[in-house]
Amino acid sequence: MKPSQIAIIDFGSQYTHLITRRIRQLGVLAKIFPPLVSTQELKGVRGIILSGGPNSVYDQTAVRYNPQLFKLEVPILGLCYGHQLVAQHLGGKVQKGRVKEYGFANLEKIVDGRILAGVPKQSRIWMSHGDSVVQLPPGFINCAKTSDCNVAAMACASKNIYGLQFHPEVAHTKAGQLVLSNFVFKICHCQKDWSLEKYFSQMVKKVKAVVGKRNVFLLVSGGVDSTVCFALLEKILGKNRVFGLHIDSGSMRLNESAQVKTALAQAGFGNLHVYDASAKFLAALKGVVDPEKKREIIGRTFLQIKDEVMKKNGLKPKDWVLGQGTIYPDTIETGGTKHADKIKTHHNRVKEILKLMRLGALVEPLSELYKDEVRQVAKKLGLPASLINRHPFPGPGLFIRVLCSSGQEIKKSKNQKINLQRIVGQKLKSIILPLKSVGVQGDNRTYRQPVLLSGSLDWNKLHDFSIRITNEVHEINRVVYLVAPAKVKLSNLKVKKAYLTKDRLDLLRRVDALVNEEIKKAKIYNDIWQFPVVLAPLGLKGGQTIILRPVESQEAMTVNFYQMNKKVLDKIAKKILQIPGIDLVLYDVTNKPPATIEWE
């Protein structure tokens, strides 16, 4: 291990690898270790970061760790769970917080100190926790607080140990990179020794080592990740050793499969085969409601189709490895580290894929990169901007944007309604929707109901209400706003029995194409990171509901909902309501966390 490395001890945070990424953006190597790592393995490190995690340090869920970490005489920085662990281990006290904090909070700096040097007196930060430090360990001082967290930062200069309840590794923490830079350079005295160029060189060697004399069978969706993976593998191995397969699962956007083949051919990828498997996917997903089951079936069906195509083309399995354009957020949300909670099973992380990984029959050149880094690699490879700058599109496609229901109403507690009324008051009307969606709260997966708000449009107020509702009402993980029609009797809103069908997919395809056309006309396409358009089986007159979910982000681990210009939004909503079968248009006003980007 090089002496400038930072050791990251992983307690299961969804952001653990984001810490690695932020540190390597500073030009410094970092490596992740398990909590029970031996001190011998950490010999030579300049500093240790204790990550966040979904557990509590004070109960039976606490993660076992090596207490000798605190005797290494190197600087230590605890983040979220790591902050609480520092406090408890050294004699402080941690307990369940008065309220939970998910998303933005305002940090008020009390003491400057080394870790917060240069951070403004008031600064916006990103929180994701339910527990709080309520008593400082001996020798520590309180450096910062928020309105709901009295100890948001603490420090012990004599021991060179620091704790932050917030997440500096998240892009939404305004001074986060400055805080990490303070720790890495001013406190740990590291030297720069990492770059994307060095990683690229290592990646080439790794691909050659995994593949050996075999060839690669690559599943190509047409998105930036699989396209870059295709280009990389052809560059490393040669075009004759890479078989690209685009499977039309029936979940693609309007005319997308044809567009993918044309675009890739124009970019020089002639070795792409297209296979129509839409009927097989729909048959496999018939009657399925649960989003986890959907994802598992989708992943398994992709592999079954892959095997069929290999057999049809006379390709012997022993001569091939499977290639995928997996990037790091995919592995994180599937529980990519030992103590991480599984948020959702990505189609490229089903058990059959994990088996191939164990057998050394899987190659994923991009699996340690984030979307913006993948785009940097794409530029390095000379891929056209039309492919590089496309909005991300999930591998399961529209299958996970068509919400399904058995038609049974989900019961709502009186407590939920009382808490909502207390928060929203008379300013907006609110109703809890009889649906559920996937979220991530305190590094845990949640599957909870959304709240619908209606009234005059004020993005700032909606943003603040969204944070308060998801922080204070335990059963809620997402908030949506009624765009159109403006006046409806929400009590008449009913969920109906609906499953994945070609008709529902075609309806969503039509709306999705309309939305993408309009945001391009309005010249806001490049302002938006990703724009899921969701079809929900909610209606007033027997129709369905469209939910718009545009987001802003840098790496997809955290996002803000996009605050669209009202005139543009009204124009889009008006056109959507003209499509037969659509009763309502809603707008998702939830950040990540507590909601994930996709609803499923």
Side-chain angles (χ1 to χ4, degrees), residues 300-312:
R300 193 160 57 244
T301 306
F302 269 120
L303 292 181
Q304 290 169 355
I305 301 301
K306 182 264 297 184
D307 291 341
E308 285 181 20
V309 173
M310 287 189 74
K311 187 176 181 180
K312 186 177 179 182

Side-chain angles (χ1 to χ4, degrees), residues 50 78-87 133 151-154 163-165:
L50 309 177
L79 307 178
C80 196
Y81 181 93
H83 162 76
Q84 296 160 15
L85 180 65
V86 167
V133 174
V151 183
M154 63 183 186
L164 305 174
Q165 183 57 72

Side-chain angles (χ1 to χ4, degrees), residues 52 60 94 98 139 160 240 262 277 298 317 327 366 384 389 398-399 425 454 466 485 534 546 549 558:
Q60 71 275 9
V94 179
R98 181 172 53 86
N160 228 2
N240 61 327
T262 300
I298 291 163
I327 63 172
L366 310 175
N389 296 326
L398 299 182
F399 287 147
S454 63
S466 177
V534 179
I546 288 293
R549 173 61 167 157
T558 58

